[in-house]
PDB file of all heavy atoms in Angstrom:
ATOM      1  N   TYR A 194     261.832 -69.589-123.419  1.00 96.00           N
ATOM      2  CA  TYR A 194     261.261 -69.080-124.644  1.00 96.00           C
ATOM      3  C   TYR A 194     261.189 -70.207-125.698  1.00 96.00           C
ATOM      4  O   TYR A 194     260.438 -70.189-126.721  1.00 96.00           O
ATOM      5  CB  TYR A 194     262.020 -67.964-125.308  1.00 96.00           C
ATOM      6  CG  TYR A 194     262.210 -66.715-124.378  1.00 96.00           C
ATOM      7  CD1 TYR A 194     263.287 -65.861-124.486  1.00 96.00           C
ATOM      8  CD2 TYR A 194     261.273 -66.395-123.561  1.00 96.00           C
ATOM      9  CE1 TYR A 194     263.423 -64.809-123.569  1.00 96.00           C
ATOM     10  CE2 TYR A 194     261.335 -65.268-122.638  1.00 96.00           C
ATOM     11  CZ  TYR A 194     262.478 -64.489-122.727  1.00 96.00           C
ATOM     12  OH  TYR A 194     262.598 -63.369-121.925  1.00 96.00           O
ATOM     13  N   ALA A 195     261.961 -71.248-125.403  1.00 97.00           N
ATOM     14  CA  ALA A 195     261.933 -72.475-126.283  1.00 97.00           C
ATOM     15  C   ALA A 195     260.733 -73.394-126.123  1.00 97.00           C
ATOM     16  O   ALA A 195     260.538 -73.767-125.002  1.00 97.00           O
ATOM     17  CB  ALA A 195     263.162 -73.247-126.286  1.00 97.00           C
ATOM     18  N   LYS A 196     259.937 -73.658-127.036  1.00 97.00           N
ATOM     19  CA  LYS A 196     258.806 -74.460-127.016  1.00 97.00           C
ATOM     20  C   LYS A 196     259.217 -75.973-127.211  1.00 97.00           C
ATOM     21  O   LYS A 196     260.266 -76.218-127.563  1.00 97.00           O
ATOM     22  CB  LYS A 196     257.735 -74.055-127.926  1.00 97.00           C
ATOM     23  CG  LYS A 196     257.246 -72.595-127.880  1.00 97.00           C
ATOM     24  CD  LYS A 196     256.695 -72.278-126.589  1.00 97.00           C
ATOM     25  CE  LYS A 196     256.176 -70.792-126.613  1.00 97.00           C
ATOM     26  NZ  LYS A 196     255.809 -70.392-125.244  1.00 97.00           N
ATOM     27  N   THR A 197     258.161 -76.748-126.797  1.00 98.00           N
ATOM     28  CA  THR A 197     258.494 -78.197-126.747  1.00 98.00           C
ATOM     29  C   THR A 197     259.084 -78.663-128.208  1.00 98.00           C
ATOM     30  O   THR A 197     260.042 -79.451-128.172  1.00 98.00           O
ATOM     31  CB  THR A 197     257.310 -79.076-126.526  1.00 98.00           C
ATOM     32  OG1 THR A 197     256.723 -78.459-125.195  1.00 98.00           O
ATOM     33  CG2 THR A 197     257.515 -80.496-126.314  1.00 98.00           C
ATOM     34  N   ARG A 198     258.464 -78.324-129.237  1.00 98.00           N
ATOM     35  CA  ARG A 198     258.884 -78.686-130.562  1.00 98.00           C
ATOM     36  C   ARG A 198     260.367 -78.270-130.841  1.00 98.00           C
ATOM     37  O   ARG A 198     261.120 -79.177-131.337  1.00 98.00           O
ATOM     38  CB  ARG A 198     257.841 -78.216-131.602  1.00 98.00           C
ATOM     39  CG  ARG A 198     258.138 -78.611-133.107  1.00 98.00           C
ATOM     40  CD  ARG A 198     258.260 -80.214-133.208  1.00 98.00           C
ATOM     41  NE  ARG A 198     257.251 -80.925-132.644  1.00 98.00           N
ATOM     42  CZ  ARG A 198     257.183 -82.204-132.495  1.00 98.00           C
ATOM     43  NH1 ARG A 198     258.129 -82.876-132.966  1.00 98.00           N
ATOM     44  NH2 ARG A 198     256.098 -82.772-131.970  1.00 98.00           N
ATOM     45  N   GLU A 199     260.777 -77.135-130.541  1.00 98.00           N
ATOM     46  CA  GLU A 199     262.132 -76.600-130.790  1.00 98.00           C
ATOM     47  C   GLU A 199     263.093 -77.573-129.919  1.00 98.00           C
ATOM     48  O   GLU A 199     264.172 -77.937-130.474  1.00 98.00           O
ATOM     49  CB  GLU A 199     262.230 -75.184-130.187  1.00 98.00           C
ATOM     50  CG  GLU A 199     263.670 -74.652-130.332  1.00 98.00           C
ATOM     51  CD  GLU A 199     263.783 -73.190-129.793  1.00 98.00           C
ATOM     52  OE1 GLU A 199     262.776 -72.553-129.800  1.00 98.00           O
ATOM     53  OE2 GLU A 199     264.808 -72.912-129.169  1.00 98.00           O
ATOM     54  N   ILE A 200     262.759 -77.877-128.734  1.00 98.00           N
ATOM     55  CA  ILE A 200     263.744 -78.729-127.979  1.00 98.00           C
ATOM     56  C   ILE A 200     263.625 -80.187-128.571  1.00 98.00           C
ATOM     57  O   ILE A 200     264.829 -80.718-128.618  1.00 98.00           O
ATOM     58  CB  ILE A 200     263.174 -78.754-126.609  1.00 98.00           C
ATOM     59  CG1 ILE A 200     263.105 -77.454-125.876  1.00 98.00           C
ATOM     60  CG2 ILE A 200     263.958 -79.625-125.703  1.00 98.00           C
ATOM     61  CD1 ILE A 200     262.334 -77.311-124.568  1.00 98.00           C
ATOM     62  N   ILE A 201     262.698 -80.807-129.009  1.00 98.00           N
ATOM     63  CA  ILE A 201     262.514 -81.952-129.587  1.00 98.00           C
ATOM     64  C   ILE A 201     263.575 -82.018-130.802  1.00 98.00           C
ATOM     65  O   ILE A 201     264.366 -83.030-130.826  1.00 98.00           O
ATOM     66  CB  ILE A 201     261.066 -82.397-130.001  1.00 98.00           C
ATOM     67  CG1 ILE A 201     260.294 -82.768-128.709  1.00 98.00           C
ATOM     68  CG2 ILE A 201     261.147 -83.555-130.887  1.00 98.00           C
ATOM     69  CD1 ILE A 201     258.879 -82.948-129.044  1.00 98.00           C
ATOM     70  N   GLU A 202     263.566 -80.943-131.630  1.00 98.00           N
ATOM     71  CA  GLU A 202     264.333 -80.888-132.805  1.00 98.00           C
ATOM     72  C   GLU A 202     265.920 -80.970-132.409  1.00 98.00           C
ATOM     73  O   GLU A 202     266.627 -81.644-133.023  1.00 98.00           O
ATOM     74  CB  GLU A 202     264.035 -79.670-133.603  1.00 98.00           C
ATOM     75  CG  GLU A 202     262.696 -79.786-134.475  1.00 98.00           C
ATOM     76  CD  GLU A 202     262.591 -81.014-135.223  1.00 98.00           C
ATOM     77  OE1 GLU A 202     263.523 -81.204-136.102  1.00 98.00           O
ATOM     78  OE2 GLU A 202     261.653 -81.782-135.251  1.00 98.00           O
ATOM     79  N   LEU A 203     266.170 -80.156-131.397  1.00 98.00           N
ATOM     80  CA  LEU A 203     267.596 -80.206-130.971  1.00 98.00           C
ATOM     81  C   LEU A 203     267.971 -81.551-130.387  1.00 98.00           C
ATOM     82  O   LEU A 203     269.159 -82.057-130.493  1.00 98.00           O
ATOM     83  CB  LEU A 203     267.808 -79.067-129.868  1.00 98.00           C
ATOM     84  CG  LEU A 203     267.575 -77.634-130.402  1.00 98.00           C
ATOM     85  CD1 LEU A 203     268.023 -76.731-129.335  1.00 98.00           C
ATOM     86  CD2 LEU A 203     268.427 -77.347-131.591  1.00 98.00           C
ATOM     87  N   CYS A 204     267.020 -82.175-129.574  1.00 98.00           N
ATOM     88  CA  CYS A 204     267.407 -83.386-128.923  1.00 98.00           C
ATOM     89  C   CYS A 204     267.428 -84.597-129.843  1.00 98.00           C
ATOM     90  O   CYS A 204     268.186 -85.466-129.670  1.00 98.00           O
ATOM     91  CB  CYS A 204     266.211 -83.643-127.906  1.00 98.00           C
ATOM     92  SG  CYS A 204     266.476 -82.864-126.379  1.00 98.00           S
ATOM     93  N   ARG A 205     266.794 -84.519-131.036  1.00 98.00           N
ATOM     94  CA  ARG A 205     266.956 -85.464-132.116  1.00 98.00           C
ATOM     95  C   ARG A 205     268.461 -85.422-132.681  1.00 98.00           C
ATOM     96  O   ARG A 205     268.956 -86.578-132.991  1.00 98.00           O
ATOM     97  CB  ARG A 205     265.924 -85.260-133.233  1.00 98.00           C
ATOM     98  CG  ARG A 205     264.580 -85.774-132.899  1.00 98.00           C
ATOM     99  CD  ARG A 205     263.564 -85.321-134.031  1.00 98.00           C
ATOM    100  NE  ARG A 205     262.279 -86.033-133.735  1.00 98.00           N
ATOM    101  CZ  ARG A 205     261.148 -85.579-134.184  1.00 98.00           C
ATOM    102  NH1 ARG A 205     261.219 -84.477-135.104  1.00 98.00           N
ATOM    103  NH2 ARG A 205     259.878 -86.258-133.949  1.00 98.00           N
ATOM    104  N   VAL A 206     269.008 -84.296-132.714  1.00 98.00           N
ATOM    105  CA  VAL A 206     270.350 -84.172-133.050  1.00 98.00           C
ATOM    106  C   VAL A 206     271.164 -84.785-132.044  1.00 98.00           C
ATOM    107  O   VAL A 206     272.228 -85.658-132.330  1.00 98.00           O
ATOM    108  CB  VAL A 206     270.829 -82.657-133.245  1.00 98.00           C
ATOM    109  CG1 VAL A 206     272.288 -82.584-133.459  1.00 98.00           C
ATOM    110  CG2 VAL A 206     270.047 -82.090-134.418  1.00 98.00           C
TER     111      VAL A 206
END
Side-chain angles (χ1 to χ4, degrees):
Y194 303 145
K196 303 302 182 185
T197 307
R198 183 52 51 184
E199 177 184 329
I200 300 168
I201 288 171
E202 288 301 310
L203 296 185
C204 282
R205 283 176 172 160
V206 173

